[in-house]
Amino acid sequence: MIFSTRLGKIEVDEAEVLTFEAGIPGFEPWHRYALIMLPETQPVQWLISLESMEIAFPVLDPWLVKKDYAFDISQDVVDRLDIKNREKILVTNMVRIPQNNPQEMTINLLAPIIVNTENRKAMQLVLDRSDYSLRHMIREEVNKPVATNEGEICSS
């Protein structure tokens, strides 16, 4: 399938479509998205709406920014996304890239996007953690020493 997006025409295999059953907070009417990688923006990927050509969110693997990023996924989320295998979870977070000022780029660590890669169900999860922010400065992490423990996701 070919979709027109604000990033141009994108070909998406139906098997790769992500379904946000409740939509994304603030964008509830739109449920079908695709995660695409453009060579010119790597490692930033794009979460594009397949229902509105105006909606495209830059997203990034949070562990590229914060090696010790960790949070719990409640049983309610496991049930809603029908997660059977913890190894089949993809996590990505939205990025804010100020126009003409990319060095001020931030990542939303407070609300990760959780994807069950087996059934392609997805949701944006708002965490109950006060130590993560909506606009975590990426440049602050660039020169930090590498943590010895990897971040993790736990099911509770």
Side-chain angles (χ1 to χ4, degrees):
M1 301 180 306
I2 306 252
F3 293 91
S4 292
T5 73
R6 62 189 265 197
L7 301 172
K9 292 203 181 290
I10 305 290
E11 185 169 354
V12 177
D13 183 339
E14 183 66 37
E16 296 298 311
V17 173
L18 303 178
T19 302
F20 287 76
E21 291 179 349
I24 292 173
F27 298 85
E28 289 84 358
W30 300 279
H31 302 272
R32 293 169 37 91
Y33 290 82
L35 191 59
I36 62 166
M37 175 68 78
L38 299 176
E40 62 271 21
T41 65
Q42 284 184 9
V44 174
Q45 294 181 296
W46 295 89
L47 184 63
I48 59 167
S49 170
L50 302 179
E51 299 164 317
S52 172
M53 69 181 291
E54 299 300 316
I55 301 171
F57 303 105
V59 295
L60 186 62
D61 177 334
W63 289 281
L64 292 176
V65 175
K66 189 158 181 63
K67 300 287 186 208
D68 62 348
Y69 186 59
F71 59 90
D72 294 330
I73 296 179
S74 70
Q75 187 60 47
D76 176 57
V77 172
V78 169
D79 293 344
R80 285 173 58 190
L81 296 179
D82 196 24
I83 296 170
K84 305 286 187 224
N85 182 348
R86 193 183 138 160
E87 309 268 321
K88 300 295 183 176
I89 298 172
L90 170 74
V91 176
T92 193
N93 296 59
M94 290 188 187
V95 174
R96 181 181 154 273
I97 307 169
Q99 188 172 359
N100 300 321
N101 200 6
Q103 64 272 17
E104 296 298 316
M105 184 167 48
T106 61
I107 186 168
N108 179 349
L109 295 178
L110 193 59
I113 294 168
I114 313 298
V115 178
N116 178 341
T117 61
E118 288 184 310
N119 63 17
R120 313 301 291 168
K121 288 184 180 182
M123 69 179 293
Q124 187 173 31
L125 174 64
V126 179
L127 302 177
D128 291 330
R129 297 193 50 166
S130 63
D131 55 332
Y132 291 141
S133 74
L134 293 171
R135 293 191 176 173
H136 184 85
M137 293 295 292
I138 292 175
R139 70 181 167 148
E140 289 179 5
E141 298 294 329
V142 172
N143 294 321
K144 278 189 178 177
V146 176
T148 56
N149 60 334
E150 289 289 321
E152 61 184 55
I153 303 169
C154 301
S155 297
S156 53

